[in-house]
Amino acid sequence: MGRPRGDNAMEKNLIRADRTALAPYTAWAALFIVVPLAFVAYYAFTDASFNFTFENISRFFTATTQTASEDGSVREIRTYIVIFMRSLKLAAISTAVCLVMGYPIAYIMARSDARVQKTLMTVIMIPMWMNFLIRTYAWITILQDTGLINRLLSAVGLSPVHIIGTQTAVVVGMVYDYLPYMILPLYSVMAKMDVKLLEAAQDLGCSGLGVLRRVIWPLSVPGVINGITMVLIPSISTFYISQKLGDGKFFLIGDAIEGQYTANNLHFAAAIAFILMILLLICMGVMRWLTDKKRGGLA
Amino acid sequence: MDKIIELKGITKSFGETRAIDDVSLDVYDNEFLTLLGPSGCGKTTLLRIIGGFEKPDEGDVIFMGRRINDVPAYKRNVNTVFQRYALFPHLNIFENIAFPLREKKLPESEIRERVDEMLGMVVLRGFEKRSVSSLSGGQQQRVAIARALIAQPRVLLLDEPLAALDLKLRKDMQGELKRIQKATGITFIFVTHDQEEALSMSDTVVVMSSGQIQQIGRPIDIYNEPKNAFVADFIGESNIIDGRMPKDFVCTINGRDFECLDGGFAPGEAVDVVIRPEDVDIVDPAAGQLTGVVSSVTFMGVHYEIIVDVAGFMWMIQTTDYVAEGQTIGICLEPDAIHVMKKSEFSGMFGDYSCFSDEYEEISDPELAAAAEEE
Ligand SMILES: Nc1ncnc2c1ncn2[C@@H]1O[C@H](COP(=O)(O)OP(=O)(O)O)[C@@H](O)[C@H]1O
Ligand SMILES: [Mg+2]
């Protein structure tokens, strides 16, 4: 604001200078992002002797397993489709829980004074500095049948709950791991929100809930989208959490990739990763398109 | 005329800062009332107390006979035009204006009709589908006014609504606001630090300084009968000179007695004497009641503004006759050119032009001030 005119040319020069300065970084980023991706694709479409094949891709969609259902009859299911759907379900639940928990936290954080903001930020970041295996083990000791929760429950005379080895335990683990990735983007849009807009809404007749529904929520949508992206993607491909907290009962797509990899089926592992990536890209594309469309309709 | 708002002994502090200090004020129905004062004197805080965004520490806010200290902002029949408009960026112009009606869940047909009427009033028909960011400052301003008026409040609060506009646009909007106020009959409480704006638009002017009201009155009374040196200096240009009142209707300045129209002071009481620059007659030195030496002359278009050294005190005089720098002139004062005020805490602080420089346009909007500093 208030910048004298005629500075534009200089600014452009500056940007150009910036680009030149960034060139080594760009090369570096290309090396570390594009090259591994290219290798994943290469492995996904080749067999053990590196001849081109669709075999790995089609195996993902067609491989079947026999399972016994409750009435004793044996059914045939598409192994990886089922695993993928299960991963998607757990990831979606975790993302939803993260959103419901993260939204008010981010809001309170954005509206408190600078010192409180800093403290809360640190508290939220601390778990991220801890190794994630350690975090998962910590949750085992909290959730197991003789763990912290059940000891607390029996101390106050309540009956114990069985959590470890259930989907709930897996969701708890994922939420704990990924909640910061939901809070941070939400916090960043909310901190930028002009308090005057909230006052204007009140002035024009909105109660607290009305302000939330008509102003805060629509203005925070970009943060919500970013948050969902940041949580959904890693939680869909997570591994290990489910093995440990779910007692290995909920085999997820991440575990499948890890399993194939450790069994030295590099090409099939790459194919699963590749398909996962494409599906996520499609998901994100649809989500952005939907929100852009909503925006366009309003503005 | 009925009182619509009464403020009784309002006090409000932020930590150590006393933003409002025992303010009492009556606002009447249908009037255009202006809160005028330098930046930081508490105008915004007072407006926010009326709007329901701040709670007074002490005192009562009475709205149409009812105490509303504890009524939340959204339940008050008062709307605000915010200092920087605060339009909703996620809504188009139509939806911004319709915002309060949607909250009341009115039928779509009524909403369309009333928004259209408002758009007509602020001359923005055809802008319905536009986004907020595609509008100029003046247009955003008008949207903010339409949005605040559509719910038909009893009182409209406007916090320096014109401060961000350039001079030409500001003049147009002053007329526009006055027209809208007359057409709707809604009470306007208008905040500004620009005395010219306050005098030209208002029915009532409230002059404030450091959280206190200095004077309440019609613009012409505030100008002609300032209560103290602060008001005299803040409203227009004033020479404020030490004087004495030996008896009623006689005032002594620089050892010389002048006939005047004021009385009621103790015999010999020390007073502040206000002399407006345009009320001074320049005559031949021999015929003058006082004499002085011209120290500077500035051509202002219609008149000259000259600074005259009268026995060591610098007077500002406005004249249409040319005088030369260094010339000795005579000064004559008619009785109605002399306005006598009691001494106050502000005595001696204002009204001497010895270090006169063109008063800079004060900027109270923090963002604008920051921008101005950058340049
Ligand atoms: N929220 C606040 N916190 C602390 N001090 C404030 C706050 N709002 C206003 N003040 C102080 O109160 C005084 C009056 O401010 P304000 O009402 O904004 O004045 P004006 O609108 O006349 O410029 C100033 O000294 C200002 O710094
Ligand atoms: Mg202000």
Side-chain angles (χ1 to χ4, degrees):
Chain A
M1 205 199 240
R3 184 178 293 126
R5 267 166 277 273
D7 253 18
N8 249 341
M10 204 172 99
E11 211 163 277
K12 272 194 193 128
N13 280 338
L14 273 177
I15 291 172
R16 217 171 290 141
D18 279 357
R19 283 218 195 99
T20 328
L22 280 176
Y25 172 78
T26 315
W28 206 240
L31 195 66
F32 279 88
I33 295 171
V34 177
V35 172
L37 282 180
F39 265 97
V40 169
Y42 179 61
Y43 270 75
F45 289 98
T46 49
D47 61 21
S49 43
F50 293 97
N51 295 318
F52 178 82
T53 176
F54 273 121
E55 186 61 30
N56 300 314
I57 303 291
S58 70
R59 182 171 160 203
F60 178 89
F61 292 100
T62 53
T64 56
T65 317
Q66 312 273 335
T67 61
S69 49
E70 275 152 37
D71 58 10
S73 64
V74 173
R75 278 189 317 136
E76 198 163 76
I77 53 163
R78 291 194 188 275
T79 319
Y80 294 102
I81 303 290
V82 167
I83 295 173
F84 175 76
M85 293 316 280
R86 184 189 295 141
S87 303
L88 186 63
K89 186 180 99 182
L90 283 178
I93 294 172
S94 304
T95 307
V97 173
C98 281
L99 182 59
V100 170
M101 282 176 67
Y103 200 86
I105 295 176
Y107 183 74
I108 290 165
M109 226 166 101
R111 289 286 158 266
S112 36
D113 59 51
R115 234 188 54 242
V116 179
Q117 284 193 23
K118 253 193 204 141
T119 316
L120 283 174
M121 181 71 85
T122 313
V123 169
I124 287 165
M125 303 284 281
I126 283 173
M128 294 168 75
W129 304 338
M130 217 165 29
N131 181 289
F132 113 104
L133 297 181
I134 309 278
R135 274 181 288 174
T136 309
Y137 273 108
W139 274 106
I140 295 177
T141 63
I142 294 171
L143 296 178
Q144 67 195 350
D145 290 346
T146 55
L148 193 64
I149 288 186
N150 280 319
R151 267 184 281 152
L152 278 178
L153 282 177
S154 65
V156 296
L158 292 170
S159 55
V161 287
H162 176 67
I163 306 177
I164 201 85
T166 65
Q167 288 196 10
T168 313
V170 180
V171 169
V172 166
M174 287 189 185
V175 168
Y176 183 78
D177 267 355
Y178 299 125
L179 187 58
Y181 298 100
M182 179 62 83
I183 293 177
L184 294 181
L186 284 173
Y187 166 76
S188 87
V189 290
M190 285 174 180
K192 271 186 285 179
M193 219 178 274
D194 185 356
V195 189
K196 284 274 174 278
L197 293 178
L198 313 188
E199 286 188 352
Q202 280 175 48
D203 188 69
L204 297 166
C206 286
S207 60
L209 210 63
V211 179
L212 176 64
R213 190 174 59 80
R214 299 189 62 195
V215 179
I216 299 172
W217 174 259
L219 288 177
S220 63
V221 164
V224 172
I225 301 276
N226 275 341
I228 290 177
T229 315
M230 305 262 289
V231 174
L232 190 66
I233 290 180
S235 62
I236 215 170
S237 56
T238 185
F239 66 105
Y240 198 74
I241 293 180
S242 142
Q243 290 171 26
K244 290 295 158 196
L245 296 178
D247 265 356
K249 276 184 260 170
F250 311 100
F251 196 69
L252 300 183
I253 202 80
D255 300 316
I257 297 174
E258 195 219 0
Q260 294 298 330
Y261 187 81
T262 44
N264 226 6
N265 291 334
L266 293 189
H267 297 271
F268 186 47
I272 302 176
F274 184 79
I275 291 166
L276 191 59
M277 198 171 74
I278 298 294
L279 288 174
L280 287 173
L281 276 177
I282 292 172
C283 272
M284 295 329 300
V286 168
M287 214 142 86
R288 294 215 182 253
W289 179 71
L290 278 177
T291 50
D292 283 353
K293 205 174 81 164
K294 196 165 154 236
R295 287 265 166 122
L298 277 171
Chain B
M1 282 217 289
D2 298 326
K3 280 183 202 172
I4 188 153
I5 291 176
E6 290 167 71
L7 302 179
K8 291 186 173 168
I10 302 284
T11 297
K12 173 82 193 174
S13 301
F14 297 102
E16 295 289 291
T17 323
R18 184 165 275 218
I20 301 291
D21 188 0
D22 192 21
V23 162
S24 294
L25 173 67
D26 292 341
V27 183
Y28 292 89
D29 210 359
N30 282 350
E31 80 173 327
F32 195 120
L33 179 137
T34 298
L35 301 176
L36 171 66
S39 166
C41 74
K43 307 178 298 288
T44 297
T45 305
L46 199 58
L47 216 58
R48 289 171 61 80
I49 286 172
I50 298 172
F53 297 109
E54 302 283 0
K55 261 196 183 162
D57 299 334
E58 282 167 49
D60 291 327
V61 184
I62 314 281
F63 183 74
M64 297 173 78
R66 200 163 69 93
R67 185 177 178 275
I68 57 163
N69 285 35
D70 301 315
V71 176
Y74 73 96
K75 284 189 181 157
R76 297 190 183 190
N77 200 359
V78 168
N79 285 139
T80 308
V81 174
F82 288 87
Q83 205 158 4
R84 300 201 50 93
Y85 322 140
L87 299 178
F88 301 120
H90 60 296
L91 300 176
N92 65 16
I93 299 311
F94 182 95
E95 288 302 328
N96 261 283
I97 298 177
F99 193 91
L101 303 187
R102 294 238 182 268
E103 194 63 28
K104 291 182 179 168
K105 306 222 166 15
L106 297 184
E108 189 64 30
S109 59
E110 188 184 341
I111 292 180
R112 293 208 164 276
E113 203 173 295
R114 280 172 64 178
V115 171
D116 185 63
E117 188 188 321
M118 277 298 143
L119 284 168
M121 191 173 76
V122 296
V123 208
L124 278 178
R125 282 217 175 93
F127 284 74
E128 290 86 342
K129 295 267 184 291
R130 294 274 291 269
S131 71
V132 169
S133 56
S134 74
L135 263 56
S136 72
Q139 289 165 338
Q140 293 190 20
Q141 170 72 77
R142 298 211 293 264
V143 174
I145 292 168
R147 185 182 69 172
L149 283 176
I150 199 166
Q152 295 166 345
R154 292 301 302 263
V155 177
L156 187 70
L157 310 176
L158 304 102
D159 192 356
E160 311 224 13
L162 310 182
L165 306 180
D166 61 46
L167 188 63
K168 169 86 177 65
L169 200 53
R170 194 150 83 202
K171 293 274 177 229
D172 293 347
M173 282 305 295
Q174 286 174 3
E176 195 88 332
L177 276 176
K178 195 70 196 151
R179 176 182 66 76
I180 291 171
Q181 194 263 335
K182 284 219 175 91
T184 55
I186 292 172
T187 305
F188 275 33
I189 302 182
F190 182 90
V191 162
T192 183
H193 63 268
D194 178 341
Q195 44 105 7
E196 217 174 292
E197 193 167 280
L199 294 182
S200 65
M201 296 175 77
S202 326
D203 300 316
T204 306
V205 175
V206 178
V207 184
M208 292 179 66
S209 157
S210 38
Q212 293 174 321
I213 293 181
Q214 299 302 333
Q215 190 167 2
I216 305 175
R218 294 185 305 155
I220 191 152
D221 296 335
I222 299 259
Y223 189 84
N224 288 336
E225 307 282 328
K227 234 185 196 158
N228 58 37
F230 176 83
V231 179
D233 180 73
F234 198 73
I235 311 287
E237 301 290 349
S238 309
N239 302 291
I240 304 175
I241 300 149
D242 283 330
R244 240 165 234 296
M245 292 291 284
K247 57 182 187 191
D248 283 356
F249 313 120
V250 176
C251 170
T252 312
I253 306 168
N254 287 9
R256 189 170 170 134
D257 286 350
F258 288 84
E259 203 186 323
C260 70
L261 305 176
D262 299 283
F265 296 89
E269 184 174 338
V271 292
D272 284 336
V273 181
V274 176
I275 294 157
R276 296 287 186 187
E278 68 273 21
D279 291 341
V280 179
D281 294 327
I282 295 179
V283 295
D284 221 47
Q289 293 163 305
L290 297 170
T291 56
V293 180
V294 177
S295 79
S296 79
V297 179
T298 313
F299 179 59
M300 303 295 285
V302 179
H303 61 265
Y304 297 94
E305 206 164 77
I306 62 174
I307 305 296
V308 183
D309 182 346
V310 181
F313 192 90
M314 297 305 210
W315 291 39
M316 182 204 270
I317 299 174
Q318 289 168 356
T319 172
T320 48
D321 300 325
Y322 178 76
V323 291
E325 266 176 44
Q327 192 182 333
T328 303
I329 56 167
I331 287 171
C332 273
L333 298 170
E334 295 293 322
D336 64 3
I338 296 171
H339 173 66
V340 183
M341 308 178 302
K342 278 201 174 296
K343 284 275 178 193
S344 69
E345 57 182 303
F346 302 106
S347 298
M349 291 165 64
F350 306 107
D352 177 8
Y353 287 91
S354 49
C355 54
F356 177 72
S357 61
D358 248 345
E359 263 172 65
Y360 62 95
E361 181 76 344
E362 194 183 347
I363 300 171
S364 79
D365 190 323
E367 270 182 55
L368 288 181
E373 256 162 47
E374 268 174 35
E375 283 184 8

